[in-house]
Amino acid sequence: CKQALLQVQLCEELIAEEQQKLETAKADAKRLAEDDQAAKLKLLSDRTQVTEELEKVLIALSDNDEMREIQSEHEAEKGRVMAESMKLQEELQSVELQEQ
């Protein structure tokens, strides 16, 4: 009976130790989750700030005379390339019709 009582006490001590470990692990997990949440909020805040800065740069570029000129040149070149492409396509179709 005495030996059984000692085994019960030993088991109770082991249970108490494991419960303490569990409580410590829960507290650590909670702290890590809070740290992760804080890091996530910081990243979101940083992303928002960078996005706002990017918007300012893009607005500044769109209001820039040099960028307007570059865009205009690009659109003109695109128009020339499309016209040339259509001309070549018509020539190809004409040659194909002649070959038939």
Side-chain angles (χ1 to χ4, degrees):
C1 193
K2 205 172 196 182
Q3 188 176 7
L5 184 61
L6 286 174
Q7 284 182 337
V8 168
Q9 287 175 340
L10 181 60
C11 288
E12 288 174 347
E13 288 175 9
L14 291 173
I15 289 171
E17 286 177 21
E18 292 301 318
Q19 285 177 336
Q20 182 60 38
K21 288 179 185 177
L22 177 63
E23 293 303 316
T24 301
K26 284 181 181 180
D28 289 346
K30 183 178 178 182
R31 183 184 45 77
L32 288 173
E34 289 169 355
D35 290 348
D36 287 347
Q37 184 66 21
K40 179 181 174 183
L41 290 175
K42 169 102 173 71
L43 287 172
L44 289 173
S45 175
D46 291 349
R47 186 174 108 185
T48 299
Q49 184 179 3
V50 169
T51 300
E52 289 172 359
E53 291 173 13
L54 177 60
E55 286 177 0
K56 288 177 186 176
V57 168
L58 291 174
I59 288 170
L61 287 175
S62 69
D63 287 344
N64 184 315
D65 290 336
E66 184 179 355
M67 285 304 294
R68 275 193 220 112
E69 184 179 332
I70 290 170
Q71 186 176 8
S72 176
E73 290 172 1
H74 171 72
E75 292 297 325
E77 178 66 18
K78 189 167 95 174
R80 285 191 294 274
V81 168
M82 288 296 291
E84 182 68 19
S85 175
M86 289 175 65
K87 178 183 168 192
L88 291 172
Q89 188 174 7
E90 288 172 1
E91 289 177 12
L92 178 62
Q93 288 174 349
S94 174
V95 169
E96 286 176 345
L97 286 174
Q98 289 175 0
E99 289 179 354
Q100 290 178 357

